[in-house]
Amino acid sequence: MSRRKQIYEGKAKILYEGPEPGTLVQYFKDDATAFNAQKKATLDGKGVLNNRISEFVMIRLGEIGIPTHFIKRLNMREQLIKKVEIIPLEVICRNVAAGTMSKRLGIEEGEKLPRSIVEFCLKRDDLGDPLIAEEHIHAFGWATHAELDEMIAMTLRINDYLQGMFSGIGINLIDFKIEFGRLSTETGDHQVVLADEISPDSCRLWDRETNKKLDKDRFRRDLGDVTEAYTEVATRLGILQSNPPQGKPTLSVVSNDE
Ligand code: C5P
Protein backbone atom coordinates (compact mmCIF):
# COMPACT_ATOMS: atom_id res chain seq x y z
CA MET A 1 0.00 0.00 0.00
CA SER A 2 2.91 2.31 0.72
CA ARG A 3 3.78 2.19 -3.02
CA ARG A 4 0.56 3.98 -3.83
CA LYS A 5 -0.06 7.68 -3.64
CA GLN A 6 -2.60 8.63 -1.01
CA ILE A 7 -5.10 11.15 -2.38
CA TYR A 8 -7.31 11.69 0.66
CA GLU A 9 -7.86 10.32 4.15
CA GLY A 10 -11.33 10.57 5.66
CA LYS A 11 -12.67 9.33 8.99
CA ALA A 12 -13.48 5.82 7.81
CA LYS A 13 -11.81 5.53 4.41
CA ILE A 14 -8.63 6.32 2.52
CA LEU A 15 -8.44 7.03 -1.20
CA TYR A 16 -5.34 6.05 -3.17
CA GLU A 17 -4.42 6.71 -6.76
CA GLY A 18 -5.79 3.86 -8.91
CA PRO A 19 -3.96 1.67 -11.42
CA GLU A 20 -5.48 3.46 -14.44
CA PRO A 21 -6.10 7.16 -15.03
CA GLY A 22 -9.57 8.10 -13.82
CA THR A 23 -9.61 5.41 -11.14
CA LEU A 24 -9.03 5.39 -7.38
CA VAL A 25 -8.70 2.69 -4.76
CA GLN A 26 -11.07 3.13 -1.81
CA TYR A 27 -9.73 1.53 1.39
CA PHE A 28 -12.15 0.86 4.27
CA LYS A 29 -10.62 1.45 7.71
CA ASP A 30 -11.77 -0.07 10.99
CA ASP A 31 -11.97 3.42 12.50
CA ALA A 32 -15.33 4.63 13.72
CA THR A 33 -16.10 8.23 14.58
CA ALA A 34 -19.25 9.99 15.71
CA PHE A 35 -20.38 13.48 16.66
CA ASN A 36 -17.99 15.08 14.20
CA ALA A 37 -15.07 12.91 15.36
CA GLN A 38 -15.42 13.81 19.06
CA LYS A 39 -15.97 10.10 19.71
CA LYS A 40 -13.49 7.67 18.16
CA ALA A 41 -12.76 3.96 18.27
CA THR A 42 -11.31 1.16 16.23
CA LEU A 43 -13.73 -1.68 15.60
CA ASP A 44 -12.02 -4.85 14.42
CA GLY A 45 -13.43 -5.99 11.10
CA LYS A 46 -15.75 -3.04 10.47
CA GLY A 47 -13.85 -2.00 7.32
CA VAL A 48 -14.06 -5.51 5.89
CA LEU A 49 -17.80 -5.65 6.53
CA ASN A 50 -18.50 -2.20 5.08
CA ASN A 51 -16.42 -2.98 1.98
CA ARG A 52 -18.51 -6.10 1.36
CA ILE A 53 -21.87 -4.55 2.19
CA SER A 54 -21.21 -1.43 0.13
CA GLU A 55 -20.02 -3.55 -2.80
CA PHE A 56 -23.22 -5.61 -2.60
CA VAL A 57 -25.46 -2.53 -2.49
CA MET A 58 -23.62 -0.65 -5.26
CA ILE A 59 -23.82 -3.67 -7.58
CA ARG A 60 -27.56 -4.08 -6.92
CA LEU A 61 -28.16 -0.36 -7.52
CA GLY A 62 -26.10 -0.50 -10.73
CA GLU A 63 -28.37 -3.34 -11.88
CA ILE A 64 -31.45 -1.13 -11.56
CA GLY A 65 -29.81 1.66 -13.55
CA ILE A 66 -28.33 3.91 -10.86
CA PRO A 67 -24.92 5.09 -12.12
CA THR A 68 -22.29 4.57 -9.41
CA HIS A 69 -18.56 5.10 -8.96
CA PHE A 70 -18.06 1.39 -8.12
CA ILE A 71 -15.96 -0.71 -10.52
CA LYS A 72 -15.01 -3.82 -8.53
CA ARG A 73 -13.89 -5.04 -5.16
CA LEU A 74 -10.15 -5.70 -5.09
CA ASN A 75 -9.72 -7.47 -1.76
CA MET A 76 -11.09 -7.59 1.79
CA ARG A 77 -10.67 -3.87 2.40
CA GLU A 78 -10.37 -2.21 -0.98
CA GLN A 79 -12.47 -1.47 -4.00
CA LEU A 80 -11.62 0.08 -7.34
CA ILE A 81 -13.77 3.13 -8.06
CA LYS A 82 -14.10 5.78 -10.74
CA LYS A 83 -12.51 9.09 -9.85
CA VAL A 84 -15.23 11.72 -9.45
CA GLU A 85 -15.46 15.26 -8.19
CA ILE A 86 -17.48 14.94 -5.02
CA ILE A 87 -20.46 17.29 -4.82
CA PRO A 88 -20.10 18.88 -1.37
CA LEU A 89 -23.48 17.70 -0.09
CA GLU A 90 -24.67 14.91 2.17
CA VAL A 91 -28.05 13.79 0.90
CA ILE A 92 -30.15 12.24 3.65
CA CYS A 93 -33.35 10.33 3.01
CA ARG A 94 -35.67 9.48 5.90
CA ASN A 95 -38.63 7.12 6.18
CA VAL A 96 -38.98 7.04 9.96
CA ALA A 97 -38.08 9.79 12.45
CA ALA A 98 -34.73 9.27 14.20
CA GLY A 99 -31.49 11.00 15.07
CA THR A 100 -31.16 14.69 14.33
CA MET A 101 -34.64 14.94 12.80
CA SER A 102 -36.23 13.69 16.01
CA LYS A 103 -34.13 16.12 18.03
CA ARG A 104 -34.68 19.08 15.74
CA LEU A 105 -38.42 18.67 15.28
CA GLY A 106 -39.39 16.93 18.51
CA ILE A 107 -40.76 13.86 16.74
CA GLU A 108 -40.41 10.64 18.70
CA GLU A 109 -37.87 8.20 17.31
CA GLY A 110 -39.61 5.43 15.44
CA GLU A 111 -42.56 7.49 14.25
CA LYS A 112 -43.25 6.78 10.60
CA LEU A 113 -42.99 9.94 8.50
CA PRO A 114 -45.99 10.95 6.33
CA ARG A 115 -43.74 10.37 3.32
CA SER A 116 -40.05 9.92 2.59
CA ILE A 117 -38.17 13.16 3.17
CA VAL A 118 -34.92 14.21 1.47
CA GLU A 119 -32.63 16.61 3.34
CA PHE A 120 -29.31 18.20 2.44
CA CYS A 121 -26.32 18.93 4.62
CA LEU A 122 -23.22 20.81 3.55
CA LYS A 123 -20.12 18.60 3.69
CA ARG A 124 -18.08 20.76 6.04
CA ASP A 125 -16.58 18.95 9.04
CA ASP A 126 -15.40 22.24 10.53
CA LEU A 127 -19.06 23.40 10.67
CA GLY A 128 -20.49 20.04 11.74
CA ASP A 129 -22.12 19.37 8.32
CA PRO A 130 -25.00 21.86 8.77
CA LEU A 131 -28.49 21.23 7.41
CA ILE A 132 -29.12 23.49 4.42
CA ALA A 133 -32.05 24.34 2.13
CA GLU A 134 -32.18 23.84 -1.63
CA GLU A 135 -32.03 27.65 -1.85
CA HIS A 136 -28.52 27.60 -0.39
CA ILE A 137 -27.42 24.99 -2.93
CA HIS A 138 -28.66 27.13 -5.81
CA ALA A 139 -27.48 30.46 -4.43
CA PHE A 140 -23.97 29.27 -3.63
CA GLY A 141 -23.71 27.10 -6.75
CA TRP A 142 -22.89 23.86 -4.91
CA ALA A 143 -24.89 22.00 -7.57
CA THR A 144 -26.86 23.05 -10.63
CA HIS A 145 -30.65 22.79 -10.79
CA ALA A 146 -30.31 19.82 -13.15
CA GLU A 147 -27.83 18.08 -10.84
CA LEU A 148 -30.06 18.62 -7.83
CA ASP A 149 -33.09 17.24 -9.69
CA GLU A 150 -31.06 14.17 -10.65
CA MET A 151 -29.78 13.69 -7.10
CA ILE A 152 -33.29 13.89 -5.64
CA ALA A 153 -34.73 11.49 -8.24
CA MET A 154 -31.88 9.01 -7.72
CA THR A 155 -32.15 9.27 -3.93
CA LEU A 156 -35.86 8.41 -3.99
CA ARG A 157 -35.25 5.52 -6.41
CA ILE A 158 -32.42 4.25 -4.18
CA ASN A 159 -34.69 4.57 -1.16
CA ASP A 160 -37.46 2.57 -2.85
CA TYR A 161 -35.06 -0.17 -3.87
CA LEU A 162 -33.23 -0.37 -0.55
CA GLN A 163 -36.46 -0.37 1.46
CA GLY A 164 -37.55 -3.42 -0.52
CA MET A 165 -34.16 -5.08 -0.33
CA PHE A 166 -33.87 -4.69 3.44
CA SER A 167 -37.52 -5.52 4.01
CA GLY A 168 -36.83 -8.87 2.32
CA ILE A 169 -34.33 -9.68 5.08
CA GLY A 170 -36.48 -8.46 7.97
CA ILE A 171 -34.90 -5.02 8.31
CA ASN A 172 -36.59 -1.59 8.26
CA LEU A 173 -34.61 1.13 6.48
CA ILE A 174 -35.12 4.11 8.78
CA ASP A 175 -32.85 6.58 6.98
CA PHE A 176 -29.57 6.82 5.10
CA LYS A 177 -26.97 9.28 3.86
CA ILE A 178 -25.47 9.23 0.39
CA GLU A 179 -23.04 11.33 -1.58
CA PHE A 180 -22.80 12.01 -5.29
CA GLY A 181 -19.95 12.90 -7.59
CA ARG A 182 -19.44 14.37 -11.04
CA LEU A 183 -17.92 11.95 -13.49
CA SER A 184 -16.28 13.51 -16.55
CA THR A 185 -17.53 11.83 -19.72
CA GLU A 186 -15.63 11.41 -22.99
CA THR A 187 -17.65 14.23 -24.55
CA GLY A 188 -16.49 16.61 -21.82
CA ASP A 189 -19.85 16.58 -20.02
CA HIS A 190 -20.44 15.60 -16.43
CA GLN A 191 -22.61 12.76 -15.23
CA VAL A 192 -23.91 12.68 -11.66
CA VAL A 193 -23.11 9.30 -10.09
CA LEU A 194 -23.59 7.74 -6.67
CA ALA A 195 -20.25 7.81 -4.79
CA ASP A 196 -18.79 7.10 -1.32
CA GLU A 197 -20.40 4.06 0.36
CA ILE A 198 -23.69 2.64 1.55
CA SER A 199 -23.22 0.58 4.69
CA PRO A 200 -24.44 0.33 8.30
CA ASP A 201 -22.15 3.33 8.94
CA SER A 202 -24.37 5.48 6.73
CA CYS A 203 -27.83 3.93 7.22
CA ARG A 204 -30.16 3.33 10.13
CA LEU A 205 -31.27 -0.29 9.99
CA TRP A 206 -33.70 -1.71 12.56
CA ASP A 207 -34.74 -5.33 12.87
CA ARG A 208 -38.38 -5.49 11.84
CA GLU A 209 -39.48 -7.75 14.71
CA THR A 210 -37.51 -6.32 17.62
CA ASN A 211 -36.46 -2.82 16.42
CA LYS A 212 -32.91 -3.81 17.38
CA LYS A 213 -30.48 -1.33 15.88
CA LEU A 214 -28.14 -2.95 13.35
CA ASP A 215 -26.16 0.17 12.46
CA LYS A 216 -23.72 2.80 13.66
CA ASP A 217 -26.10 4.01 16.38
CA ARG A 218 -24.78 1.01 18.36
CA PHE A 219 -21.45 2.85 18.42
CA ARG A 220 -22.84 6.39 18.78
CA ARG A 221 -25.06 5.36 21.71
CA ASP A 222 -22.70 2.86 23.37
CA LEU A 223 -25.06 -0.06 22.77
CA GLY A 224 -22.18 -2.51 22.19
CA ASP A 225 -21.85 -5.38 19.70
CA VAL A 226 -21.27 -3.01 16.79
CA THR A 227 -19.42 -5.38 14.46
CA GLU A 228 -21.77 -8.21 15.48
CA ALA A 229 -24.67 -6.07 14.23
CA TYR A 230 -22.88 -5.28 10.95
CA THR A 231 -22.10 -8.99 10.59
CA GLU A 232 -25.80 -9.73 11.07
CA VAL A 233 -26.67 -7.38 8.21
CA ALA A 234 -24.01 -8.96 5.95
CA THR A 235 -25.19 -12.45 6.86
CA ARG A 236 -28.83 -11.67 6.13
CA LEU A 237 -27.81 -10.16 2.79
CA GLY A 238 -26.15 -13.49 1.99
CA ILE A 239 -22.65 -12.00 1.87
CA LEU A 240 -21.37 -14.11 4.74
CA GLN A 241 -21.94 -17.78 5.37
CA SER A 242 -24.32 -18.13 8.31
CA ASN A 243 -23.63 -21.70 9.40
CA PRO A 244 -19.90 -22.38 9.60
CA PRO A 245 -18.88 -25.22 11.98
CA GLN A 246 -19.09 -23.16 15.19
CA GLY A 247 -22.36 -21.55 14.11
CA LYS A 248 -20.75 -18.10 14.14
CA PRO A 249 -20.71 -16.07 10.93
CA THR A 250 -17.22 -15.55 9.56
CA LEU A 251 -15.62 -12.88 7.47
CA SER A 252 -13.38 -15.18 5.49
CA VAL A 253 -15.94 -16.92 3.36
CA VAL A 254 -17.86 -16.33 0.12
CA SER A 255 -14.80 -14.41 -1.01
CA ASN A 256 -12.69 -14.62 -4.15
CA ASP A 257 -10.07 -12.09 -3.16
CA GLU A 258 -7.36 -11.44 -5.63
O1 C5P B 1 -27.64 12.04 12.44
P1 C5P B 1 -28.78 12.05 11.47
O2 C5P B 1 -30.08 11.64 12.08
O3 C5P B 1 -28.90 13.36 10.73
O4 C5P B 1 -28.40 10.95 10.38
C1 C5P B 1 -29.29 10.60 9.33
C2 C5P B 1 -28.66 9.44 8.57
O5 C5P B 1 -27.50 9.86 7.88
C3 C5P B 1 -28.21 8.27 9.47
O6 C5P B 1 -28.44 7.06 8.78
C4 C5P B 1 -26.72 8.50 9.64
O7 C5P B 1 -26.03 7.29 9.83
C5 C5P B 1 -26.35 9.13 8.30
N1 C5P B 1 -25.24 10.09 8.42
C6 C5P B 1 -24.01 9.77 7.90
N2 C5P B 1 -22.97 10.67 7.97
C7 C5P B 1 -23.15 11.87 8.52
C8 C5P B 1 -24.40 12.22 9.06
C9 C5P B 1 -25.44 11.31 8.99
O8 C5P B 1 -23.82 8.68 7.36
N3 C5P B 1 -22.13 12.74 8.56
Side-chain angles (χ1 to χ4, degrees):
M1 226 150 37
S2 53
R3 284 174 284 122
R4 281 197 306 238
K5 188 172 162 211
Q6 185 175 313
I7 304 284
Y8 169 82
E9 176 154 13
K11 286 172 276 196
K13 294 187 294 292
I14 304 175
L15 295 178
Y16 296 97
E17 210 165 58
E20 310 284 341
T23 65
L24 295 175
V25 172
Q26 178 166 253
Y27 175 95
F28 288 75
K29 299 195 277 185
D30 281 344
D31 296 353
T33 66
F35 313 117
N36 207 14
Q38 287 168 38
K39 178 171 178 159
K40 291 183 194 171
T42 301
L43 302 169
D44 270 353
K46 179 179 82 83
V48 174
L49 289 159
N50 281 353
N51 185 24
R52 298 300 298 267
I53 295 170
S54 196
E55 170 200 21
F56 182 90
V57 174
M58 291 281 176
I59 290 175
R60 296 288 94 74
L61 291 175
E63 285 167 357
I64 60 153
I66 301 287
T68 82
H69 73 163
F70 180 83
I71 302 174
K72 66 171 181 173
R73 186 169 59 81
L74 297 171
N75 55 49
M76 292 292 270
R77 287 186 183 272
E78 294 177 328
Q79 42 186 249
L80 187 66
I81 57 169
K82 297 174 190 166
K83 188 175 186 173
V84 298
E85 178 197 349
I86 290 288
I87 296 173
L89 302 172
E90 300 201 329
V91 183
I92 293 172
C93 184
R94 302 179 186 270
N95 301 308
V96 172
T100 58
M101 172 179 258
S102 289
K103 260 197 207 118
R104 204 181 315 115
L105 303 182
I107 308 174
E108 198 174 332
E109 262 205 355
E111 194 173 305
K112 191 167 173 10
L113 299 173
R115 63 177 177 85
S116 303
I117 294 176
V118 177
E119 294 175 346
F120 301 95
C121 294
L122 180 64
K123 253 177 85 70
R124 276 283 298 267
D125 280 343
D126 57 332
L127 300 175
D129 300 331
L131 182 71
I132 51 170
E134 287 187 34
E135 275 289 281
H136 296 106
I137 300 173
H138 296 313
F140 294 110
W142 290 319
T144 66
H145 280 75
E147 286 174 337
L148 196 56
D149 286 349
E150 277 182 67
M151 285 191 277
I152 293 170
M154 274 197 251
T155 301
L156 293 172
R157 180 81 184 94
I158 291 167
N159 184 46
D160 267 359
Y161 182 81
L162 293 186
Q163 273 189 303
M165 188 188 86
F166 283 117
S167 165
I169 53 168
I171 289 175
N172 284 335
L173 177 64
I174 305 303
D175 57 32
F176 61 93
K177 184 269 303 183
I178 47 181
E179 296 182 24
F180 293 93
R182 296 183 185 101
L183 181 68
S184 303
T185 63
E186 280 166 12
T187 55
D189 292 336
H190 288 109
Q191 185 193 13
V192 176
V193 304
L194 178 66
D196 194 52
E197 71 177 297
I198 298 185
S199 73
D201 266 7
S202 59
C203 302
R204 284 198 173 90
L205 303 169
W206 295 1
D207 178 79
R208 192 170 51 209
E209 300 300 325
T210 64
N211 277 341
K212 181 180 174 188
K213 296 181 196 332
L214 300 171
D215 56 60
K216 195 170 157 187
D217 272 349
R218 301 205 71 81
F219 169 69
R220 295 188 188 99
R221 302 179 187 192
D222 293 322
L223 299 174
D225 294 339
V226 185
T227 46
E228 287 78 359
Y230 286 32
T231 303
E232 171 79 29
V233 173
T235 305
R236 289 200 206 179
L237 286 172
I239 298 168
L240 303 181
Q241 205 175 61
S242 58
N243 55 349
Q246 292 81 18
K248 263 194 99 184
T250 163
L251 296 179
S252 60
V253 293
V254 205
S255 149
N256 303 309
D257 295 332
E258 291 157 18

